[in-house]
Amino acid sequence: MLKVRGIDRALMRMVNEAARDSLPNEFAAMLREEDGVVQELVLLPGTLQGKDSATLMLHMMPIDYSIVGTVHSHPGYSNRPSRQDLELFRRSGYVHVITCLPFDEGSWRAYDGAGRPLRLPVVDL
Ligand SMILES: [Zn+2]
């Protein structure tokens, strides 16, 4: 069922840069895959950015089956999903990435729709 085999290294670098630029707020976007690799961000209009939560406006989500999940940043040192994150994961796909400080290659983690850690290899396209 899982059609995603990895995430593009350049995309993850872009996410971490956006996360840094968004401080002290969170950064949030949807993830799109192509050929089994997550390689594009979809920014939703009306996405609220706050210190504690990045609320994705799911009703604004285009009908697009290449969107596989979400990514957001935590302005702290934990990349564990909050209770609201788990609720978001459950409703919006099966690949979810949370990155945290210091926003580098080792500071993010992927989860499935149930909030379980997901192995998501970094690939170079
Ligand atoms: Zn979160």
Side-chain angles (χ1 to χ4, degrees):
M1 177 221 156
L2 193 68
K3 57 177 176 173
V4 168
R5 62 181 167 86
I7 188 164
D8 177 29
R9 187 183 308 275
L11 181 82
M12 239 2 268
R13 202 175 296 135
M14 192 197 292
V15 163
N16 278 320
E17 274 166 28
R20 221 171 280 129
D21 289 346
S22 300
L23 283 172
N25 296 321
E26 295 190 355
F27 167 78
M30 308 292 296
L31 296 173
R32 174 180 279 151
E33 66 85 23
E34 201 181 320
D35 301 328
V37 177
V38 176
Q39 51 181 289
E40 212 180 294
L41 297 179
V42 181
L43 299 172
L44 297 181
T47 298
L48 304 174
Q49 295 190 333
K51 265 194 174 61
D52 302 314
S53 63
T55 307
L56 292 162
M57 298 284 112
L58 290 175
H59 62 279
M60 301 292 285
M61 189 169 136
I63 297 180
D64 179 341
Y65 295 105
S66 62
I67 291 179
V68 292
T70 67
V71 59
H72 75 279
S73 65
H74 284 171
Y77 287 91
S78 167
N79 55 22
R80 299 179 72 164
S82 66
R83 197 153 12 114
Q84 285 114 303
D85 290 342
L86 292 173
E87 182 64 19
L88 171 75
F89 292 178
R90 201 172 57 75
R91 288 181 301 150
S92 49
Y94 55 90
V95 179
H96 303 279
V97 171
I98 300 177
T99 188
C100 66
L101 286 169
F103 302 133
D104 63 20
E105 289 207 358
S107 68
W108 60 275
R109 206 156 181 196
Y111 302 90
D112 68 11
R116 290 177 298 237
L118 184 71
R119 215 179 72 82
L120 188 64
V122 172
V123 299
D124 290 294
L125 293 176

